[in-house]
């Protein structure tokens, strides 16, 4: 199981700040997030735009970092994102 924590103003489409995912094989962070579908669609978009910082097991990482069962991922928005930029209208 991999735990994903969303920090700052990030949250899932359902308003959650953390989620757990089962994986069988190692995969890059970006693929793991894409596999979560609608739940993390906006977070995935911000990642593509380089507006999200990624850490894996408390170490700075990238969207291409391989993650394994038991890892912990933290994602935080950066680049001047504010509550206005990530408010309810953000998840249309």
């Amino acid at each position: 199981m991999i735990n994903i924590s969303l920090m700052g103003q990030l949250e899932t489409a359902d308003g959650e700040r953390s989620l757990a995912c089962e994986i069988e094989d190692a995969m890059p962070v970006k693929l793991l997030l894409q596999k979560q579908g609608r739940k993390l669609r906006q977070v995935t978009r911000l990642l593509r735009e380089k507006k999200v910082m990624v850490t894996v097991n408390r170490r700075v990482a990238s969207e291409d970092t391989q993650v394994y069962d038991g890892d912990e991922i933290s994602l935080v928005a950066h680049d001047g994102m504010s509550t206005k930029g990530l408010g309810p209208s953000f998840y249309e």
Side-chain angles (χ1 to χ4, degrees):
M1 173 134 356
I2 292 183
N3 293 310
I4 301 172
S5 297
L6 304 173
M7 305 175 83
Q9 299 300 317
L10 294 178
E11 59 185 31
T12 68
D14 299 329
E16 298 172 329
R17 306 275 299 189
S18 64
L19 59 137
C21 311
E22 292 285 342
I23 66 168
E24 294 181 21
D25 297 314
M27 66 180 67
V29 169
K30 66 182 168 188
L31 181 59
L32 177 67
L33 299 180
Q34 289 169 352
K35 286 181 171 260
Q36 304 315 303
R38 183 189 74 79
K39 238 182 186 186
L40 292 179
R41 184 174 294 133
Q42 297 301 331
V43 174
T44 302
R45 182 179 65 82
L46 288 172
L47 184 69
R48 246 188 340 266
E49 294 173 1
K50 307 292 187 217
K51 294 182 178 180
V52 172
M53 185 180 77
V54 178
T55 66
V56 175
N57 300 324
R58 297 184 181 181
R59 293 178 181 244
V60 175
S62 76
E63 64 185 34
D64 297 318
T65 299
Q66 292 287 313
V67 291
Y68 303 87
D69 188 43
D71 283 348
E72 295 199 14
I73 299 170
S74 295
L75 304 169
V76 63
H78 69 86
D79 195 34
M81 299 301 290
S82 66
T83 51
K84 183 176 180 185
L86 293 170
S89 62
F90 183 75
Y91 292 101
E92 296 176 352

